[in-house]
Short mmCIF file of all heavy atoms in Angstrom, two decimals:
data_model
loop_
_atom_site.label_atom_id
_atom_site.label_comp_id
_atom_site.label_asym_id
_atom_site.label_seq_id
_atom_site.Cartn_x
_atom_site.Cartn_y
_atom_site.Cartn_z
N MET A 40 124.99 -149.77 -210.86
CA MET A 40 124.72 -148.48 -211.56
C MET A 40 125.53 -147.31 -210.76
O MET A 40 125.76 -146.27 -211.40
CB MET A 40 123.30 -148.15 -211.36
CG MET A 40 122.47 -149.06 -212.32
SD MET A 40 120.72 -148.75 -212.22
CE MET A 40 120.62 -147.04 -212.44
N LEU A 41 126.11 -147.61 -209.68
CA LEU A 41 126.82 -146.60 -208.82
C LEU A 41 128.31 -146.72 -208.92
O LEU A 41 129.02 -146.00 -208.25
CB LEU A 41 126.37 -146.61 -207.46
CG LEU A 41 124.85 -146.26 -207.19
CD1 LEU A 41 124.38 -146.60 -205.81
CD2 LEU A 41 124.58 -144.76 -207.51
N ALA A 42 128.77 -147.66 -209.72
CA ALA A 42 130.24 -147.95 -209.72
C ALA A 42 131.08 -146.64 -210.20
O ALA A 42 132.09 -146.46 -209.52
CB ALA A 42 130.49 -149.06 -210.78
N ARG A 43 130.68 -146.05 -211.17
CA ARG A 43 131.36 -144.79 -211.60
C ARG A 43 131.36 -143.76 -210.39
O ARG A 43 132.36 -143.04 -210.21
CB ARG A 43 130.97 -144.29 -212.88
CG ARG A 43 131.67 -143.04 -213.32
CD ARG A 43 131.63 -142.79 -214.90
NE ARG A 43 132.10 -141.48 -215.31
CZ ARG A 43 133.52 -141.05 -215.23
NH1 ARG A 43 134.35 -141.89 -214.84
NH2 ARG A 43 133.76 -139.84 -215.61
N CYS A 44 130.28 -143.59 -209.82
CA CYS A 44 130.00 -142.55 -208.76
C CYS A 44 130.99 -142.84 -207.65
O CYS A 44 131.78 -142.03 -207.15
CB CYS A 44 128.59 -142.67 -208.30
SG CYS A 44 128.27 -141.38 -206.99
N ILE A 45 131.11 -144.16 -207.29
CA ILE A 45 132.00 -144.63 -206.16
C ILE A 45 133.50 -144.42 -206.54
O ILE A 45 134.29 -143.80 -205.73
CB ILE A 45 131.73 -146.09 -205.83
CG1 ILE A 45 130.37 -146.24 -205.21
CG2 ILE A 45 132.81 -146.57 -204.85
CD1 ILE A 45 129.88 -147.71 -205.22
N THR A 46 133.79 -144.66 -207.80
CA THR A 46 135.21 -144.47 -208.27
C THR A 46 135.56 -142.98 -208.21
O THR A 46 136.64 -142.69 -207.77
CB THR A 46 135.34 -144.95 -209.78
OG1 THR A 46 135.08 -146.42 -209.60
CG2 THR A 46 136.70 -144.84 -210.18
N LEU A 47 134.64 -142.18 -208.74
CA LEU A 47 134.99 -140.77 -208.74
C LEU A 47 135.00 -140.13 -207.37
O LEU A 47 135.81 -139.21 -207.11
CB LEU A 47 133.95 -140.00 -209.71
CG LEU A 47 134.21 -140.24 -211.19
CD1 LEU A 47 133.09 -139.56 -211.94
CD2 LEU A 47 135.54 -139.47 -211.55
N ASP A 48 134.15 -140.72 -206.48
CA ASP A 48 134.17 -140.21 -205.15
C ASP A 48 135.53 -140.50 -204.56
O ASP A 48 136.02 -139.61 -203.81
CB ASP A 48 133.09 -140.93 -204.31
CG ASP A 48 131.65 -140.51 -204.54
OD1 ASP A 48 131.46 -139.34 -204.96
OD2 ASP A 48 130.75 -141.18 -204.21
N MET A 49 136.09 -141.65 -204.66
CA MET A 49 137.29 -141.90 -204.12
C MET A 49 138.48 -141.09 -204.73
O MET A 49 139.32 -140.68 -204.05
CB MET A 49 137.63 -143.45 -204.32
CG MET A 49 136.63 -144.38 -203.45
SD MET A 49 137.02 -146.03 -203.37
CE MET A 49 137.18 -146.60 -205.10
N ASP A 50 138.48 -140.96 -206.11
CA ASP A 50 139.41 -140.19 -206.73
C ASP A 50 139.38 -138.72 -206.24
O ASP A 50 140.39 -138.06 -205.88
CB ASP A 50 139.29 -140.23 -208.23
CG ASP A 50 139.71 -141.48 -208.83
OD1 ASP A 50 140.33 -142.32 -208.16
OD2 ASP A 50 139.31 -141.61 -210.06
N CYS A 51 138.16 -138.16 -206.20
CA CYS A 51 137.97 -136.79 -205.78
C CYS A 51 138.41 -136.57 -204.33
O CYS A 51 139.11 -135.60 -203.97
CB CYS A 51 136.48 -136.50 -206.00
SG CYS A 51 136.29 -134.63 -205.89
N ALA A 52 138.06 -137.42 -203.45
CA ALA A 52 138.36 -137.27 -201.99
C ALA A 52 139.92 -137.34 -201.92
O ALA A 52 140.58 -136.48 -201.15
CB ALA A 52 137.71 -138.44 -201.16
N ALA A 53 140.53 -138.22 -202.67
CA ALA A 53 142.06 -138.36 -202.43
C ALA A 53 142.72 -137.00 -203.01
O ALA A 53 143.72 -136.48 -202.48
CB ALA A 53 142.55 -139.55 -203.18
N LEU A 54 142.18 -136.60 -204.17
CA LEU A 54 142.82 -135.32 -204.70
C LEU A 54 142.49 -134.11 -203.88
O LEU A 54 143.36 -133.28 -203.74
CB LEU A 54 142.30 -135.22 -206.23
CG LEU A 54 142.99 -134.10 -206.99
CD1 LEU A 54 144.50 -134.19 -206.98
CD2 LEU A 54 142.54 -134.13 -208.40
N CYS A 55 141.36 -134.02 -203.37
CA CYS A 55 140.99 -132.87 -202.57
C CYS A 55 141.97 -132.74 -201.27
O CYS A 55 142.38 -131.74 -200.93
CB CYS A 55 139.46 -132.85 -202.09
SG CYS A 55 138.40 -132.46 -203.45
N ARG A 56 142.20 -133.97 -200.68
CA ARG A 56 143.01 -133.98 -199.50
C ARG A 56 144.50 -133.58 -199.89
O ARG A 56 145.23 -132.95 -199.19
CB ARG A 56 143.05 -135.36 -198.80
CG ARG A 56 141.71 -135.45 -198.07
CD ARG A 56 141.70 -136.69 -197.15
NE ARG A 56 140.42 -136.74 -196.41
CZ ARG A 56 139.31 -137.36 -196.71
NH1 ARG A 56 139.34 -138.14 -197.89
NH2 ARG A 56 138.25 -137.33 -196.01
#
Side-chain angles (χ1 to χ4, degrees):
M40 291 177 52
L41 296 167
R43 178 153 170 76
C44 184
I45 295 165
T46 299
L47 284 171
D48 284 339
M49 292 187 308
D50 287 349
C51 192
L54 187 52
C55 284
R56 286 193 176 93

